[in-house]
């Protein structure tokens, strides 16, 4: 077993711990921080069921973004849907034997890679070309897109140009999961691809990628419009009432 | 006060193009800073404390634990740019820092520096920066160019609400001794006297008696505006501007006529003679709560069964969305009515029940459009169903007025543009941004003026009414275009026993 295998095995473990622990902490933080006031953006649903529908509209269709700007919606939506398909396709490296729906997703996931690059490229071009978006962009905003583009491009290269030893790679991945390490294929494109993914996993809980859990905790989107009917009070606000005379 | 200043009024855009940015277009010192006594009345330090940087960061940390909105919104923005062309102040001023995301970033950059791993170790990479005096001054200037109208939050894919951020920023500034004079002075007046205008009970009684005389002269009917009547059914809480500002006052007379015709007993309270709650503007839960508790106490003292709110935008937000939280539970009120109820809900109910004798032709000399006040539209409801806040005022207007046209759809309802004077900006020291911020609303108005000969702009918000009175002339409109919705109601009501004057 070579040094490359050891390095990547350890990196994967560390990245996985950082991703899940970091994300778990942020989700815990969001869930336990009170929202002291009712602030849904109106008109808002009057029932919990209505809120589920509203959230689905945001998460599945990006409805608010669609209302806002058709170009950002188009590129953003294409990127996210493609990313989902690509991710589903990648599940086959972690499961043996693969489930039927992972098999079904293979051809879609394969070509979704192109759509993903297209969406990302569109977002990057807008970030550079549109004055307003350029103004609000920090270096990390460009680099995030570049990183995703690099991951996508190296992935596509392995699908369509220079194949890696995918059977050996799957053995490596399964080996990681069952703590029975197997050698990793050492071609450059694969290692670049994996390095990108590891970096993405590590920065996820520390970056704007937190929009993924964040959207579910956004009070303007997930609150029910029932303030007149039901009293809503945060624990810290209830404490203030101790001094109230009546 | 200094003499009349000249302001550059932005020109109407032939097409609604997104403006090219003009960096530092609105750079400046911001509004007048609160004097020590304004600050101390509200429980804030009198002036900028010595270790303010430390205190500000401490306050921010404290707020991050208290407000999920702040924590989630500071983390979640991906800088997609969807909000960048949605703010009326950005459209009117072209200053990039008036783009909602850029306004948020003034605070977010500091949040990142002190509260995130990336900002602590790689500040340049993620646009994090130290809290310096320049940053504080920038906060003060640009967080007082946000009217907390929430238009950006409608369009954000994560619902990030810049109002939440600007409220937090103002709370932090007030907490380190750097509050805004206009808001803080006014809140102090509410604590001391009961209303924003500082109108004490005897003066208020005088004013209301004068209005009763006017009403009787006008109609020949003794319509009352009762003050501090114990045992009345309804407590009317209305912005104090309704007691003497134009065109607000005609709205108040409208409410009085509606109550009179409905045959209900009602009263105004001198203790809670203010619907507005500027505690919201400065982001201070505690000040907002103290102001709200006056309404609870007045309702208990006067032994009323119901609370009805007059025409006021952010007041209706605090009433509809926050009052139950801040000053509830209201188990001592009649549970058969909404608590609290909006005057438009009350009036429409009376119209539907046929309690009001209306002569629509009295408004035939007017062609009316309706300005959805931002807080009513995007932060409240009416009628108990989503969108009631759009329909109910329009139904009231259409019931009393034959000629009504809406402004373009992308400028009304939940996409409405703020009047430009909300959120604690309705002060002369912010006139420049107020004029510029009114541009999108004025453009929409221009369209219906040109297309349908609209000559009146109706609103249900005291701030909108004051702002338009001031700003309409800058855009070459008649300042008298702006009317209260209940002024239209007032015109059309034929009171029992009233002699109708035909040549009016």
């Amino acid at each position: 077993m070579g040094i490359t295998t050891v390095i990547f095995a350890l990196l994967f473990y560390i990245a996985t711990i950082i991703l899940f622990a970091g994300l778990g902490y942020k989700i815990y933080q969001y869930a336990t921080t009170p929202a002291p006031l009712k602030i849904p953006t109106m008109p808002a649903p009057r029932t919990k069921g209505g809120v589920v529908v509203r959230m689905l509209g945001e998460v599945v269709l990006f409805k608010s973004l669609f209302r806002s700007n058709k170009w950002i919606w188009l590129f953003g939506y294409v990127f996210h849907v493609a990313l989902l398909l690509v991710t589903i396709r990648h599940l086959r490296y972690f499961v043996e034997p693969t489930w039927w729906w992972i098999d079904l997703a293979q051809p879609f996931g394969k070509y979704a890679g192109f759509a993903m690059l297209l969406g990302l490229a569109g977002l990057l071009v807008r970030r550079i070309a549109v004055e307003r978006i350029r103004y609000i962009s920090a270096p990390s905003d460009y680099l995030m897109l570049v990183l995703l583009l690099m991951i996508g491009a190296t992935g596509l290269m392995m699908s369509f140009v220079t194949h890696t030893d995918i059977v050996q790679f799957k053995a490596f991945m399964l080996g990681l999961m069952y703590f029975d390490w197997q050698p990793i294929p050492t071609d450059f494109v694969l290692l670049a691809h994996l390095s990108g993914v590891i970096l993405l996993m590590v920065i996820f809980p520390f970056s704007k990628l937190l929009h993924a859990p964040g959207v579910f905790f956004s009070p303007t989107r997930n609150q029910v419009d029932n303030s007149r009917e039901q009293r809503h009070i945060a624990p810290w606000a209830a404490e203030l009432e101790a001094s109230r005379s009546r | 006060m200094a003499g009349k200043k000249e302001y550059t009024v932005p020109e109407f855009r032939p097409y609604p193009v997104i403006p090219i940015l003009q960096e530092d277009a609105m750079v400046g010192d911001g509004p007048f800073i609160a004097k020590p006594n304004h600050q101390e009345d509200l429980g804030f330090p009198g002036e900028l404390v010595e270790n303010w940087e430390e205190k500000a960061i401490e306050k921010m940390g404290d707020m991050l634990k208290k407000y999920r909105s702040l924590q989630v919104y500071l983390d979640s923005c991906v800088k997609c740019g969807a909000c960048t062309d949605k703010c009326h102040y950005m459209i009117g001023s072209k200053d990039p820092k008036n783009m909602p995301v850029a306004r948020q970033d003034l605070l977010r950059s500091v949040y990142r520096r002190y509260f995130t791993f990336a900002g602590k170790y790689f500040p340049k990479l993620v646009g994090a920066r130290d809290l310096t005096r320049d940053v504080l001054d920038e906060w003060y200037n640009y967080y007082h160019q946000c009217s907390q109208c929430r238009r950006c939050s409608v369009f954000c894919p994560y619902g990030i609400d810049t109002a939440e951020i600007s409220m937090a920023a103002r709370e932090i500034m007030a907490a380190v001794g750097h509050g805004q004079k206009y808001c803080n002075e006014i809140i102090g007046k509410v604590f001391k006297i009961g209303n924003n205008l500082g109108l004490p009970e005897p003066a208020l009684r005088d004013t209301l008696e004068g209005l009763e005389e006017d009403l009787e002269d006008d109609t020949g009917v003794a319509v009352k505006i009762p003050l501090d009547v114990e045992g009345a059914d309804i407590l009317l809480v209305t912005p104090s501007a309704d007691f003497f500002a134009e065109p607000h006052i005609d709205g108040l007379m409208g409410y009085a006529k509606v109550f009179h015709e409905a045959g209900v007993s009602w009263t105004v309270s001198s203790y809670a003679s203010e619907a507005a709650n500027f505690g919201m503007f400065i982001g201070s839960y505690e000040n907002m709560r103290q102001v709200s508790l006056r309404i609870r106490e007045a309702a208990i003292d006067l032994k009323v069964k119901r609370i009805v709110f007059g025409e006021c935008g952010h007041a209706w937000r605090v009433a509809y969305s926050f009052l139950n939280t801040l000053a509830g539970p209201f188990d001592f009120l009649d549970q058969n009515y909404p608590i609290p109820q909006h005057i438009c809900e009350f009036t429409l109910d009376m119209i539907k029940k046929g309690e009001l004798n209306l002569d629509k032709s009295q408004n035939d000399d007017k062609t009316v459009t309706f300005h959805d006040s931002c807080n009513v539209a995007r932060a409240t409801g009416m009628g108990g169903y989503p969108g009631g806040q759009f329909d109910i005022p329009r139904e009231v207007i259409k019931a009393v007025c034959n000629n009504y046209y809406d402004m373009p759809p992308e400028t009304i309802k939940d996409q409405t543009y703020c009047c430009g004077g909300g959120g604690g900006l309705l002060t002369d020291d912010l006139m420049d941004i107020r004029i510029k911020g009114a541009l999108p609303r004025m453009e929409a108005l221009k369209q219906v003026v040109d297309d349908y000969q609209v000559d009146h702009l109706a609103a249900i918000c005291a701030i909108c009414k004051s702002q338009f009175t001031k700003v309409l002339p800058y855009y070459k409109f008649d300042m008298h275009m702006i009317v209260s919705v209940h002024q239209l109601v007032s015109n059309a009501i034929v009171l029992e026993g009233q002699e109708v004057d035909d040549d009016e």
Side-chain angles (χ1 to χ4, degrees):
Chain A
M1 198 172 306
I3 180 81
T4 318
T5 303
V6 175
I7 289 173
F8 272 86
L10 291 176
L11 283 177
F12 259 112
Y13 284 137
I14 293 166
T16 306
I17 290 168
I18 290 176
L19 175 67
F20 284 100
L23 217 48
Y25 169 72
K26 288 308 284 190
I27 290 172
Y28 172 80
Q29 182 191 44
Y30 294 161
T32 53
T33 306
L37 292 165
K38 279 284 184 144
I39 58 166
T41 312
M42 302 284 196
R46 305 269 306 165
T47 60
K48 281 206 169 129
V51 165
V52 172
V53 173
R54 182 182 204 177
M55 283 309 297
L56 282 175
E58 293 299 342
V59 175
V60 179
L61 301 172
F62 301 6
K63 261 177 121 167
S64 294
L65 185 58
F66 184 77
R67 266 184 101 182
S68 177
N69 188 309
K70 302 292 185 278
W71 284 112
I72 304 178
W73 180 87
L74 180 70
F75 294 132
Y77 198 72
V78 164
F79 159 62
H80 280 86
V81 171
L83 179 65
L84 178 70
L85 289 172
V86 169
T87 308
I88 291 172
R89 172 177 135 87
H90 278 68
L91 287 178
R92 72 170 171 158
Y93 306 127
F94 302 88
V95 179
E96 181 58 45
T98 54
W99 305 318
W100 64 269
W101 52 271
I102 299 180
D103 295 333
L104 196 74
Q106 290 311 307
F108 299 102
K110 198 168 169 179
Y111 292 97
F114 291 103
M116 186 175 133
L117 287 193
L118 215 69
L120 286 167
L123 291 172
L124 186 59
V125 167
R126 280 188 65 80
R127 194 168 288 289
I128 295 165
V130 178
E131 184 195 24
R132 286 168 290 122
I133 307 183
R134 192 169 63 233
Y135 181 89
I136 56 171
S137 298
S140 58
D141 296 309
Y142 298 100
L143 291 175
M144 192 72 77
L145 290 170
V146 170
L147 174 63
L148 286 163
L149 277 166
M150 189 277 273
I151 293 172
T154 46
L156 280 178
M157 272 183 65
M158 285 183 284
S159 285
F160 295 97
V161 186
T162 142
H163 296 282
T164 186
D165 183 349
I166 204 66
V167 176
Q168 186 54 43
F169 174 69
K170 182 164 181 173
F172 168 77
M173 262 348 274
L174 290 172
L176 282 185
M177 290 168 67
Y178 297 106
F179 300 101
D180 172 22
W181 292 5
Q182 302 297 323
I184 192 171
T186 51
D187 44 309
F188 176 77
V189 181
L190 174 71
L191 295 185
H193 186 70
L194 295 179
S195 303
V197 172
I198 288 167
L199 185 58
L200 189 69
M201 288 165 77
V202 169
I203 60 178
F204 202 108
F206 305 101
S207 67
K208 64 178 185 178
L209 299 179
L210 286 171
H211 69 278
V215 63
F216 294 97
F217 291 97
S218 173
T220 55
R221 292 292 183 268
N222 73 9
Q223 286 184 336
V224 180
D225 166 19
N226 62 358
S227 47
R228 282 198 291 191
E229 293 79 17
Q230 254 181 50
R231 188 156 192 242
H232 169 94
I233 187 140
W236 65 260
E239 277 171 30
L240 299 173
E241 293 186 1
S243 60
R244 203 165 94 178
S245 51
R246 48 186 181 169
Chain B
M1 271 299 177
K4 258 209 171 331
K5 268 198 207 154
E6 291 286 320
Y7 300 103
T8 20
V9 181
E11 295 201 11
F12 288 139
R13 300 167 294 172
Y15 305 98
V17 287
I18 303 167
I20 310 259
L21 300 176
Q22 269 176 28
E23 214 155 327
D24 292 336
M26 291 308 294
V27 75
D29 299 334
F32 297 145
I33 290 170
K35 298 209 167 70
N37 58 319
H38 305 144
Q39 282 278 101
E40 282 153 10
D41 287 348
L42 276 56
F44 298 127
E47 21 187 60
L48 195 61
V49 295
E50 216 163 284
N51 54 342
W52 63 269
E53 295 96 334
E54 204 180 303
K55 289 281 167 205
I57 298 303
E58 197 181 299
K59 180 76 188 171
M60 192 190 288
D62 179 48
M63 296 186 73
L64 284 164
K65 290 194 181 72
K66 282 182 166 174
Y67 292 92
R68 182 190 298 158
S69 53
L70 190 62
Q71 178 66 59
V72 171
Y73 295 160
L74 288 178
D75 278 341
S76 296
C77 178
V78 300
K79 315 289 172 82
C80 73
C83 62
T84 52
D85 58 344
K86 302 299 186 284
C87 174
H88 51 289
Y89 292 119
M90 183 275 173
I91 295 170
S93 75
K94 306 187 176 100
D95 190 317
K97 294 201 175 90
N98 278 330
M99 298 190 292
V101 42
R103 196 188 310 285
Q104 294 162 23
D105 277 352
L106 301 176
L107 193 78
R108 185 177 286 118
S109 54
V110 173
Y111 161 74
R112 284 189 170 162
R113 184 77 180 102
Y114 294 88
F115 294 94
T116 70
F117 177 84
K120 274 177 195 162
Y121 300 102
F122 311 100
K124 287 255 161 59
L125 183 71
V126 296
R129 55 182 186 163
D130 289 324
L131 178 55
T132 61
R133 181 65 208 222
D134 286 347
V135 172
L136 179 74
D137 291 341
E138 202 176 31
W139 281 4
Y140 192 76
N141 184 39
Y142 286 102
Y143 283 117
H144 289 104
Q145 296 185 26
C146 167
S147 58
Q148 308 172 342
C149 83
R150 316 184 85 207
R151 191 168 193 269
C152 47
S153 86
V154 170
F155 294 100
C156 174
Y158 318 112
I160 297 175
D161 184 0
T162 309
E164 292 292 306
I165 311 286
S166 82
M167 285 172 191
R170 291 186 196 180
E171 164 87 335
I172 293 168
M173 288 188 283
V176 299
H178 206 60
Q180 186 210 17
K181 174 174 182 276
Y182 173 67
C183 284
N184 292 9
E185 186 177 19
I186 276 179
I187 297 169
K189 279 187 202 160
V190 175
F191 290 153
K192 280 195 199 121
I193 300 162
N195 53 61
N196 287 4
L197 298 170
L199 206 61
E201 192 265 348
L204 181 57
R205 190 170 295 277
D206 243 31
T207 308
L208 296 183
E209 278 166 10
L211 291 179
E212 287 175 343
E213 277 167 31
D214 291 351
L215 275 163
E216 191 159 355
D217 286 351
D218 245 29
T219 64
V221 180
V223 176
K224 295 291 164 199
I225 307 180
L227 182 66
D228 292 334
V229 176
E230 214 179 287
D233 281 345
I234 294 175
L235 169 64
L236 174 78
V237 185
T238 205
S240 56
D242 281 3
F243 300 131
F244 86 108
E246 281 290 348
H248 313 59
I249 205 161
D250 304 295
L252 175 64
M253 297 207 255
Y255 320 150
K257 286 188 186 177
V258 171
F259 287 134
H260 178 89
E261 284 300 283
V264 293
S265 67
W266 66 290
T267 186
V268 173
S269 154
S270 60
Y271 180 71
S273 45
E274 182 59 69
N277 191 330
F278 281 27
M280 185 180 98
F281 295 157
I282 63 166
S284 165
Y285 189 96
E286 185 51 16
N287 278 288
M288 186 160 65
R289 192 174 78 92
Q290 294 300 342
V291 174
S292 297
L293 282 174
R294 297 178 75 92
I295 295 169
R296 178 187 179 85
E297 279 154 25
I300 294 172
D301 288 339
L302 294 171
K303 302 186 175 64
V304 296
K305 299 192 183 77
R306 303 165 61 179
I307 299 175
V308 172
F309 270 74
E311 298 179 1
C312 185
H314 82 279
W316 184 236
R317 178 178 194 188
V318 177
Y320 179 93
S321 293
F322 306 158
L323 197 65
N324 201 1
T325 299
L326 298 168
F330 290 99
D331 39 14
F332 56 91
L333 295 176
D334 187 340
Q335 304 295 311
N336 293 314
Y337 298 95
I339 304 168
Q341 194 172 27
H342 194 278
I343 186 71
C344 285
E345 291 178 307
F346 182 88
T347 299
L348 186 64
D349 200 32
M350 289 304 125
I351 292 171
K352 284 186 172 160
K353 284 185 177 144
E355 299 275 348
L356 307 180
N357 182 12
L358 299 169
D359 176 8
K360 286 171 99 165
S361 70
Q362 293 296 327
N363 283 317
D364 275 355
D365 57 334
K366 301 180 185 67
T367 304
V368 178
T369 191
F370 178 66
H371 164 73
D372 287 280
S373 297
C374 55
N375 269 284
V376 175
R378 286 185 286 263
T380 78
M382 276 185 209
Y385 67 96
Q389 70 272 35
F390 311 135
D391 305 342
I392 288 173
R394 284 178 172 78
E395 280 180 57
V396 169
I397 296 173
K398 286 176 186 167
V400 298
C401 185
N402 283 313
N403 314 314
Y404 177 83
Y405 296 94
D406 263 329
M407 284 179 276
E410 67 281 5
T411 71
I412 58 170
K413 301 191 175 173
D414 70 337
Q415 300 188 63
T416 190
Y417 281 106
C418 164
C419 63
L425 272 58
L426 194 75
T427 170
D428 284 348
D429 40 322
L430 288 172
M431 206 57 216
D432 193 21
I433 191 69
R434 283 170 57 190
I435 295 169
K436 293 189 165 73
L439 177 71
R441 173 46 77 225
M442 292 295 109
E443 287 177 335
L445 178 64
K446 180 84 164 54
Q447 255 189 15
V448 285
V449 167
D450 290 349
D451 293 353
Y452 307 110
Q453 290 75 52
V454 162
D455 50 22
H456 283 82
L457 175 66
I460 50 170
C461 170
I463 286 176
C464 296
K465 292 172 201 171
S466 300
Q467 159 77 352
F468 286 137
T469 306
K470 210 60 182 263
V471 164
L472 279 166
Y474 285 101
Y475 288 92
K476 313 264 184 298
F477 294 115
D478 178 2
M479 66 181 271
H480 297 104
M481 279 183 88
I482 175 72
V483 290
S484 300
V485 166
H486 274 77
Q487 176 177 346
L488 300 171
V489 175
S490 175
N491 293 342
I493 289 189
V494 184
L495 299 168
E496 214 174 297
Q498 177 179 356
E499 285 167 36
V500 181
D501 190 3
D502 270 336
D503 40 27
E504 241 189 13

